[in-house]
Amino acid sequence: MSTTTPPPEHTAGPTDRSTAELTTRPTDRRASAGTGALPSLARVSWARTVLELRQFFRERDAVVFIFAYPLIMLAIFATVFGQGGATVGPEPGIPFAQYFLPGMVATGVMLSSFQNLALSIAVERDEGGLKRLRGTPMPPAAYFLGKMGSVLLTSAIQMVLLIGLGSLAFGIDLPSTADRWLTFAWVFVLGTAAGAVCGVAFSSVPRSGRSASAVVTPIVLVLQFISGVFFVFNDLPTWMQRVAEVFPLKWLAQGMRSVFLPEEAEAFEVSGSWQHEATAAVLVAYLVVGLVLGVRTFRWQRRDDG
Amino acid sequence: MSPTTAVHVRDLHKRYGPKRAVDGLELSVEHGEIFSVLGPNGAGKTTTVEILEGYRHRDRGEVSVLGTDPQRGDRRWRSRLGIVLQSADDQAELTVAELVRHFATFYPEPRDPEELVAAVGLTEKAGTRVRQLSGGQRRRLDVALGIVGRPELLFLDEPTTGFDPEARRSFWDLLRSLRDEGTTILLTTHYLDEAEQLADRCAVVRDGRVVALDTPAALGGRAARQVMVRWVEDGAARSTTTAEPTALVTALTARLGPGEIPGLEVLRPTLEDVYLSLIGKASDHHLEEVPA
C-alpha cells in the first residue's frame, strides 16, 4: 500500500471552504480501498429496477403512450364499436369488447416491453446516461435485469388495470379456469421477455434519441393494424395475414384470444386452432434472436462517440 | 513506474481514420496531486482521458491506471475510480437525492449521500428533479455522482464549463478538499486560470502529444522567465524582453534617473501567454524576442 507523496507544491487559493467541506475518515482511506465487498448483482439489479420504475412513471410521454394507451383504446373502441350489442364472428357471436380485449392486452405487452425499451435506451444512450453508468462499477447485467424487472412490473400492473377495466366497465366475462390463466401467464411472460430483448436490440437502430420515437412508433402502429388488434384478423386480406405471421404481435394477440374468448371462437381462427405450439415457437425464436442481436450490437456510447 | 504513480502513459497512439488523435503521448500522475491537461479542442485530451477511463481502446502504447490496464479493468478497478464526463443531460426526471443514493449502491464503501449532497452545495436542491437544475448545479451533481464511491482517482473532463465565477470558486474549493483527503485528480480544462488555481502540475497537449509539462508557475520553462519591461524614453514608448529585469531597471534608473522612470511596467507573461505560445497561437508580442 503506497503512502501519499506530498504533491510538489500547493498553490494558494481561497481558503473559505464553508460550502465545500468533505468529511475525511480518520483512517487512511487508501488502506481500506479496494477491499470492501462489492455489492451483489441482486442488490444492484433491484436498485436499478426501483429507479427504472420511478423514471418510467414520471415520464409523461411514457405513461400516456405506453402505459395508458391500451386502456384508452379499449375504452374508445369498446364504446364506439360495441354499441347496440355488436358482435364479432358467426352467430351467436362474441361481444365486440370481449373480442377487442385480447388485442389490447397483446398491444400492452408489446408497448411496455418493446416500445418502452427501444425508446428509453435510445434516449439514455443519446443523453450520455449509459456512458455514465458504464464508468461505474455497476455490473452491466444489473442494467438489463433492472430493465427487465421494471418492464415486467409495469406490464403486470397494466394488465391488471386493462383486464379490470374490461371486466368492470364493459362487462367482459373473465376466464374462470386455471388452465386459461396458465396460458395467460406463459404468453404474457414469453411475450414480455421477447419484446424486451427485441427492444434492447432495436434501441441501436435510431440514429439519435430524438428520432427514436419517429422510428419505433410507426412500426408498432403498423403491426397493430395488421396483427388483428384493431381489426378482426379474419377480415384482413390473406397476404396481410401472411406478413403479420412473421411478427410476434399476431401470435401474442392470438394467444391472448385463446385466454379471453369462449371455446367456440377457436373455430373462428383463420387456422381453425389457437396454435399454442406455433405461438410459443415464434415468441421463443424472437427471444433468442433478440438476445443474440442485443448482446452483439449493444453500445454504451453514441455511434459518433468512440 | 514508482508505486506512487496513479496514472502512467507511455508512447500512446490512437488514430481515427487518417487523423492521429493521440500521437506518442506520455505522462504520469502521482498519487495525491491535481494534474491538469490543457490544450485546444481536438488536441487529443478527451481521447486520452477516455482511454485511461477504459471507454476507448488504444492502438498502441503502455497505459496503467491504478496499476491496471484500463482495457482489462474489472468492477473492483472501476470502484476505485471516479469519472465525470464532459456533458450529460440524462436522468432528468429523478431528484438529486435519489440519484446520489442510487449511485451509492454501486460501490463497496460509498460516502454518506446526504453529506455528499451538502458538500457539493445542493442541499436545498436535494428534492429537485434534475431537469430543473441550472447548468452549474447539474455539474456539481455530476461531480457528486463521480465521487460518491470515494475514488482514489478522479477524472474530470472540463468540469466548470458554463459556471458563473462564484460557482467556479466554490467548485475549486471542493476539488481542493478532495485532494486534501488524498484523492488524485486528473482534470482537463480549457481554462488556464483553473489550471493555475488548482493544478500541482499541468501538461499542455497539442496534436496528440505533450508539448510541456510542469507546475503552472514554471510551465513553459525559459519562456516564463522572459519578462517584458516597458518605459517611456525621449517621449517614445520603448519595450524589451529580458530574463534579468532587475538589472535592466537598475540600468534604466542610472540612465534616466534620478526619480521615477516614466511609464515603467514590468510584465511577467501570464500562463495564458505561455500556453498560447505553446499551442502555436501567440496572442501578443509578449513572447517574441524584442531586440533591446
Side-chain angles (χ1 to χ4, degrees):
Chain A
M1 211 70 315
S2 65
T3 47
T4 313
T5 318
E9 176 189 339
H10 292 167
T11 36
T15 48
D16 173 30
R17 298 224 172 107
S18 51
T19 59
E21 201 69 58
L22 281 165
T23 44
T24 312
R25 289 193 153 184
T27 50
D28 177 10
R29 34 177 300 288
R30 199 166 298 137
S32 62
T35 53
L38 287 162
S40 70
L41 176 63
R43 205 189 134 207
V44 182
S45 303
W46 177 245
R48 290 296 313 164
T49 304
V50 172
L51 192 89
E52 295 280 7
L53 284 172
R54 261 200 196 122
Q55 222 161 358
F56 178 85
F57 283 107
R58 283 181 194 172
E59 194 81 58
R60 211 165 299 147
D61 289 4
V63 171
V64 173
F65 293 103
I66 291 171
F67 190 75
Y69 175 91
L71 293 155
I72 296 167
M73 290 316 242
L74 177 69
I76 294 173
F77 273 63
T79 306
V80 173
F81 296 104
Q83 290 183 97
T87 60
V88 176
E91 288 299 315
I94 305 150
F96 190 86
Q98 187 171 6
Y99 185 85
F100 198 63
L101 177 66
M104 280 301 111
V105 166
T107 296
V109 169
M110 182 175 65
L111 295 181
S112 292
S113 58
F114 177 76
Q115 176 158 330
N116 178 8
L117 293 195
L119 290 183
S120 68
I121 296 175
V123 170
E124 282 170 57
R125 183 180 290 118
D126 205 39
E127 289 177 343
L130 287 185
K131 189 175 182 181
R132 186 204 297 274
L133 286 174
R134 191 67 193 106
T136 72
M138 175 198 77
Y143 176 78
F144 297 105
L145 289 172
K147 286 282 184 204
M148 283 292 177
S150 75
V151 162
L152 273 173
L153 284 170
T154 48
S155 187
I157 299 167
Q158 188 183 40
M159 292 301 112
V160 170
L161 294 178
L162 194 53
I163 296 165
L165 177 75
S167 163
L168 299 175
F170 299 99
I172 299 168
D173 288 332
L174 297 184
S176 53
T177 59
D179 66 318
R180 287 282 184 118
W181 287 112
L182 196 68
T183 306
F184 175 82
W186 73 254
V187 175
F188 169 76
V189 170
L190 211 50
T192 303
V197 296
C198 289
V200 172
F202 199 83
S203 72
S204 302
V205 174
R207 300 214 137 255
S208 75
R210 216 173 298 168
S211 69
S213 76
V215 177
V216 175
T217 313
I219 294 173
V220 168
L221 207 59
V222 167
L223 284 182
Q224 289 172 53
F225 278 108
I226 68 172
S227 300
V229 167
F230 288 142
F231 307 122
V232 177
F233 194 66
N234 306 48
D235 296 348
L236 299 176
T238 313
W239 67 265
M240 206 180 267
Q241 293 174 347
R242 290 290 96 78
V243 174
E245 276 167 9
V246 179
F247 297 99
L249 185 61
K250 181 257 175 193
W251 299 98
L252 254 174
Q254 190 172 336
M256 289 303 178
R257 283 199 295 275
S258 80
V259 174
F260 293 100
L261 300 193
E263 233 158 289
E264 314 86 78
E266 183 164 9
F268 184 55
E269 285 296 318
V270 172
S271 63
S273 150
W274 295 129
Q275 294 180 292
H276 279 168
E277 294 78 9
T279 302
V282 170
L283 294 181
V284 167
Y286 268 90
L287 180 62
V288 172
V289 170
L291 203 58
V292 171
L293 280 178
V295 167
R296 296 184 63 141
T297 62
F298 193 83
R299 296 171 54 90
W300 297 88
Q301 280 152 264
R302 279 196 304 267
R303 223 178 295 199
D304 60 0
D305 178 21
Chain B
M1 197 179 103
S2 79
T4 59
T5 308
V7 176
H8 180 75
V9 178
R10 252 198 49 141
D11 197 32
L12 181 66
H13 291 263
K14 174 76 182 179
R15 57 198 302 170
Y16 300 119
K19 181 176 163 35
R20 291 180 190 186
V22 181
D23 192 17
L25 186 135
E26 317 225 332
L27 58 83
S28 68
V29 179
E30 301 301 312
H31 275 299
E33 71 172 331
I34 298 185
F35 187 95
S36 168
V37 178
L38 284 166
N41 284 329
K45 299 190 301 279
T46 296
T47 300
T48 302
V49 170
E50 292 198 346
I51 288 171
L52 301 181
E53 292 163 344
Y55 282 117
R56 289 165 199 264
H57 285 192
R58 61 188 181 271
D59 294 340
R60 66 193 158 89
E62 267 174 49
V63 178
S64 161
V65 174
L66 298 179
T68 299
D69 179 344
Q71 278 168 227
R72 282 187 263 284
D74 57 4
R75 276 183 75 194
R76 168 71 59 195
W77 176 72
R78 288 199 177 279
S79 75
R80 299 164 65 201
L81 299 182
I83 297 176
V84 178
L85 296 165
Q86 220 172 68
S87 66
D89 43 13
D90 54 315
Q91 328 268 15
E93 298 301 332
L94 298 166
T95 70
V96 169
E98 283 168 349
L99 267 177
V100 174
R101 257 185 265 129
H102 178 65
F103 274 68
T105 64
F106 300 161
Y107 295 89
E109 289 175 85
R111 286 178 207 277
D112 178 66
E114 242 170 79
E115 266 179 40
L116 178 55
V117 169
V120 297
L122 288 176
T123 302
E124 279 175 30
K125 297 282 172 188
T128 304
R129 295 209 187 165
V130 172
R131 82 179 135 76
Q132 288 161 338
L133 298 180
S134 73
Q137 291 165 343
R138 171 94 235 205
R139 214 65 191 116
R140 278 182 279 161
L141 172 62
D142 286 340
V143 173
L145 298 180
I147 63 176
V148 66
R150 297 179 193 276
E152 287 168 58
L153 171 62
L154 175 64
F155 292 100
L156 291 164
D157 205 356
E158 299 186 2
T160 60
T161 305
F163 276 32
D164 62 49
E166 203 195 322
R168 290 180 80 200
R169 217 151 265 283
S170 77
F171 188 81
W172 290 345
D173 288 342
L174 173 68
L175 295 192
R176 289 192 194 99
S177 75
L178 282 172
R179 174 188 53 197
D180 296 346
E181 215 185 293
T183 312
T184 308
I185 299 174
L186 197 156
L187 165 89
T188 72
T189 183
H190 278 317
Y191 298 120
L192 292 146
D193 55 336
E194 187 156 279
E196 210 160 16
Q197 281 285 327
L198 290 175
D200 298 304
R201 292 191 301 147
C202 292
V204 178
V205 175
R206 176 189 172 185
D207 299 331
R209 66 180 80 189
V210 174
V211 292
L213 198 163
D214 214 324
T215 62
L219 191 69
R222 204 172 56 84
R225 290 192 286 275
Q226 291 291 316
V227 175
M228 152 127 28
V229 180
R230 286 186 186 151
W231 71 97
V232 177
E233 190 170 351
D234 303 331
R238 302 278 302 271
S239 71
T240 186
T241 308
T242 174
E244 295 167 332
T246 311
L248 180 72
V249 171
T250 308
L252 284 173
T253 315
R255 199 157 83 221
L256 304 171
E260 288 297 307
I261 303 165
L264 177 68
E265 285 182 280
V266 179
L267 304 166
R268 246 169 226 286
T270 62
L271 181 58
E272 184 164 349
D273 297 320
V274 175
Y275 168 75
L276 290 171
S277 80
L278 284 168
I279 64 168
K281 287 181 188 165
S283 61
D284 54 29
H285 49 285
H286 247 143
L287 298 159
E288 291 160 19
E289 294 292 329
V290 182

